Amino acid sequence: MKWLVTGGAGYIGTHVVRALLAAGEDVVVLDDFSTGARERVPEKVPLVVGSVLDRALLDETFRAHAVDGVVHIAAKKQVPESVARPLYYYEENVEGLRVLLAAMVAADVTRVVFSSSAAVYGMPDVDLVDEDTPCLPINPYGESKLVGEWMIKATARAHGISYAALRYFNVAGAGAPELADEGVFNLVPMVLEKLTADQPPVIFGDDYDTPDGTCVRDFIHVVDLAEAHVAATRRLGTDPDARLVLNVGRGEGTSVREMVELIREVTGLRDIAPELRPRRAGDPARVVASADRITTELGWKARHDTADMVESAWAGWRAQRG
């Protein structure tokens, strides 16, 4: 099958493209390079430069490449930015998806894997978050992902589309040094940036109701996440009635303090202790996935632990920054 991967030149998208190619699938990449990089797209993969907001470009892409399905990763994803620029996030994430779905319907493309997020859950007060946990997002980014799920569900019902909405938890690591996350927005690269600049990494809040007082999160290796996308495309390729909403996590919680200490250990940069600051507004104490449903539905299970994530992220950090 041939899959259009939107955002296929970005951090997660690049890993998904390589995983699909390794699985024997054909791939076309669409990316506007707002965060992606041309050199990350393999030479043999057709590349369309532009935005999912460009309906004419999407129509031409579907005509020219005989696409069977879409893996929709392109989106804006920074929570603080979404609070400051909510209309921008609704335009990019919600209107962008609407335009993409309209183009899919017009081209009779009936399969979509959607990058959703654990941000749809907001601040759940449960030990393990399963897919039936109420969705109460607390920022425009999470809202945009939940609206996206609703839009896909309604379009699927009206137009016979099969879909898998994958709710990512905290993504880290790299499949190869050259594919490492170039942004400094998530915990691992943020800590690496501080340590390599001889500055203390920051921990926000140490008075939560958790074993060590810091927030607990579920971290997932980007390679495992990419393989989850492959499993989803395989399911959609054989099941035209698939209507799936699935967590992608390990089902294991790691505290922020534990993750910071692991990064200090792996890097050998242990001289600078972390700096403790007050809690940030809106940070839930614990968000850990129940990953049972994705195993049942797709036969997928995470293979990599947090040490794998940190070691591969550190190798990528050094390769990119000398």
Side-chain angles (χ1 to χ4, degrees), residues 27-295:
V27 176
V28 178
V29 166
L30 185 147
D31 203 294
D32 65 3
F33 297 136
S34 57
T35 57
R38 184 182 298 270
E39 60 268 21
R40 290 191 169 211
V41 180
E43 289 185 5
K44 65 179 179 180
V45 173
L47 172 62
V48 179
V49 180
S51 168
V52 292
L53 287 161
D54 187 338
R55 173 62 189 274
L57 178 66
L58 292 174
D59 288 343
E60 175 56 29
T61 299
F62 287 132
R63 280 195 299 267
H65 295 283
V67 170
D68 298 298
V70 176
V71 179
H72 182 45
I73 300 172
K76 303 305 176 185
K77 63 175 185 177
Q78 303 308 320
V79 169
E81 183 183 47
S82 80
V83 174
R85 304 180 67 190
L87 296 178
Y88 175 58
Y89 269 64
Y90 273 93
E91 179 182 24
E92 292 286 332
N93 293 1
V94 177
E95 175 63 6
L97 176 58
R98 187 201 66 78
V99 174
L100 176 63
L101 288 171
M104 287 177 58
V105 169
D108 196 28
V109 176
T110 59
R111 303 170 182 89
V112 61
V113 178
F114 175 56
S115 294
S116 190
S117 169
V120 301
Y121 294 116
M123 299 178 66
D125 185 19
V126 293
D127 286 339
L128 289 177
V129 179
D130 66 24
E131 291 84 353
D132 297 321
T133 299
C135 290
L136 300 168
I138 59 173
N139 52 64
Y141 168 66
E143 291 167 357
S144 73
K145 288 298 185 180
L146 185 56
V147 172
E149 290 188 13
W150 293 343
M151 194 160 27
I152 289 171
K153 180 179 179 180
T155 306
R157 186 167 51 240
H159 298 284
I161 291 174
S162 61
Y163 67 87
L166 303 182
R167 292 174 174 170
Y168 304 175
F169 279 66
N170 296 267
V171 185
E178 66 272 16
L179 301 183
D181 191 356
E182 294 183 332
V184 186
F185 305 109
N186 299 317
L187 178 62
V188 175
M190 288 172 68
V191 174
L192 290 175
E193 180 183 51
K194 290 291 188 180
L195 290 175
T196 53
D198 293 325
Q199 297 175 4
V202 177
I203 295 176
F204 293 97
D206 65 346
D207 58 349
Y208 289 93
D209 185 17
T210 60
D212 67 14
T214 66
C215 294
V216 173
R217 297 291 183 264
D218 191 337
F219 293 89
I220 179 74
H221 199 299
V222 68
V223 168
D224 286 328
L225 178 63
E227 291 175 355
H229 285 75
V230 173
T233 61
R234 290 281 171 85
R235 174 66 178 272
L236 299 188
T238 60
D239 183 1
D241 298 318
R243 309 285 190 272
L244 302 173
V245 177
L246 303 169
N247 289 339
V248 187
R250 293 166 53 243
E252 298 180 19
T254 303
S255 76
V256 170
R257 188 187 299 275
E258 288 172 332
M259 202 66 169
V260 170
E261 290 306 310
L262 176 59
I263 296 167
R264 294 173 71 210
E265 178 182 344
V266 167
T267 61
L269 302 172
R270 302 188 59 88
D271 293 339
I272 302 177
E275 175 186 338
L276 295 175
R277 293 186 186 175
R279 297 185 185 190
R280 294 180 300 189
D283 275 346
R286 175 184 171 89
V287 183
V288 178
S290 167
D292 294 339
R293 186 172 298 180
I294 191 170
T295 301

